[in-house]
Amino acid sequence: LAKHPEIKALMKPDYNMIWVVVLMVLAQLTAFYLVKDLDWKWVVFWAYVFGSCISHSMTLAIHEISHNSAFGNSKAMWNRWFGIFANLPLGIPYSISFKRYHMDHHRYLGGDGIDVDIPTNFEGWFFCTRFRKFIWIVLQPCFYAIRPLCINPKPITRLEIINLSAQLAFDVVIYYLWGVKSIFYMLAGSILGLGLHPISGHFIAEHYMFLKGHETYSYYGPLNLLTFNVGYHNEHHDFPNIPGKSLPLVKKIAAEYYDNLPQYNSWIKVLYDFVMDDTISPYSRMKRQLKGEVKQD
């Protein structure tokens, strides 16, 4: 910032994201209707080919919303309500809890017992062979859901109860209107999209140490178009209050800080390398013992 104070001008909400999220919700509602009378094989096919992409993209929209990128910091609660709305087509309540834990991830990156992005000791010990690492990737959504309860459980808040209630009501309405195939498409799309899927390469690409001494990596490939530029991950951790839309400008403005860092151009290759490289496992993360006062959401 001292060298490039113009970056401060990028610290503002991305109002266009509001309309993108609304359109994605409408797209999934349309899909729920269209799959209700299809054969099961086609429900599964479209859940993976289309629904999974929208669902994973929506989780990254929720990631943006958790940083107040939709309405700005001055309207924090607007962002929380909008996150609950964006959560609806995922089928599983997620938005409010994600925000609470994700802020810890930014404040205490790699903090032992705080940052639930760090795999548990069991994950590192058990998923150590190529086949087991493959299974670990398939089951990633399960581990991301269970891990906070094992590492850093937090008391349930009123907003989480509202998130849960709104989600259950939405799921019941979808089932009542269009039946079990629409519900299956919704849930399968979310689980498949966060598991063995090209976009899921970002989970591993962001912080797994393929190179010793380099803890965070950026990805500059085309899938950023579907993921609100989450691939610009060094830039995001440096400036978490800048919306994903503007992170390419951060890289352009401060190119001397980012161009020479290790980077990826393929999330699929990241997944392949993670499975096939016997020196990489869920243990391949930087873990820190935190000192001093720890403040959590």
Side-chain angles (χ1 to χ4, degrees), residues 214 218 220 232 234-235 238 247-265:
H214 293 277
S218 288
Y220 299 122
Y232 288 76
N234 275 301
E235 295 85 345
D238 285 346
L247 292 178
L249 288 175
V250 172
K251 180 179 183 295
K252 183 178 179 180
I253 292 169
E256 68 272 27
Y257 291 99
Y258 299 109
D259 284 355
N260 295 323
L261 294 176
Q263 57 192 249
Y264 300 114
N265 290 303

Side-chain angles (χ1 to χ4, degrees), residues 14 17 20-21 24 52-70 86-87 90 94-95 98 102 193-194 197-203 206 219 223-233 236 243-245 267:
D14 175 15
M17 187 178 66
V20 172
V21 168
M24 285 200 295
S52 63
C53 296
I54 296 291
S55 291
H56 201 135
S57 182
M58 190 63 87
T59 66
L60 294 168
I62 290 172
H63 166 254
E64 287 284 292
I65 295 165
S66 75
H67 286 282
N68 294 335
S69 293
N87 195 151
L90 296 178
Y94 162 81
S95 176
F98 172 80
H102 188 63
L194 296 170
H197 194 280
I199 298 178
S200 290
H202 81 85
F203 288 128
E206 290 166 0
Y219 156 84
L223 289 177
N224 277 309
L225 295 172
L226 299 177
T227 58
F228 298 88
N229 286 329
V230 75
Y232 288 76
H233 217 66
H236 172 61
K245 173 186 175 181
W267 278 335

Side-chain angles (χ1 to χ4, degrees), residues 23-172:
L23 287 174
M24 285 200 295
V25 171
L26 292 176
Q28 281 293 71
L29 285 173
T30 302
F32 296 160
Y33 172 77
L34 292 175
V35 303
K36 66 184 180 68
D37 296 320
L38 294 181
D39 289 340
W40 277 106
K41 62 181 178 182
W42 290 112
V43 176
V44 174
F45 174 82
W46 287 115
Y48 188 78
V49 171
F50 182 76
S52 63
C53 296
I54 296 291
S55 291
H56 201 135
S57 182
M58 190 63 87
T59 66
L60 294 168
I62 290 172
H63 166 254
E64 287 284 292
I65 295 165
S66 75
H67 286 282
N68 294 335
S69 293
F71 295 96
N73 292 323
S74 64
K75 296 181 178 178
M77 281 305 300
W78 288 39
N79 289 282
R80 302 292 78 75
W81 295 120
F82 192 58
I84 292 172
F85 168 76
N87 195 151
L88 294 177
L90 296 178
I92 302 167
Y94 162 81
S95 176
I96 299 300
S97 296
F98 172 80
K99 187 258 190 302
R100 298 179 72 199
Y101 284 103
H102 188 63
M103 295 304 103
D104 294 340
H105 170 67
H106 275 273
R107 292 188 190 112
Y108 310 109
L109 180 63
D112 189 18
I114 301 296
D115 183 1
V116 299
D117 196 56
I118 299 288
T120 62
N121 288 330
F122 169 78
E123 291 172 73
W125 168 76
F126 185 79
F127 296 100
C128 56
T129 67
R130 293 180 180 181
F131 176 72
R132 291 180 184 180
K133 286 192 288 183
F134 174 80
I135 297 300
W136 184 77
I137 290 173
V138 173
L139 297 178
Q140 270 195 111
C142 299
F143 288 113
Y144 269 93
I146 296 171
R147 197 181 295 150
L149 303 178
C150 300
I151 295 178
N152 185 17
K154 297 184 178 185
I156 297 174
T157 66
R158 182 179 67 91
L159 277 178
E160 284 175 308
I161 294 173
I162 293 172
N163 193 177
L164 172 64
S165 301
Q167 192 62 60
L168 289 175
F170 178 83
D171 294 351
V172 168

Side-chain angles (χ1 to χ4, degrees), residues 260-273:
N260 295 323
L261 294 176
Q263 57 192 249
Y264 300 114
N265 290 303
S266 171
W267 278 335
I268 295 176
K269 187 175 187 304
V270 169
L271 292 172
Y272 177 83
D273 289 345

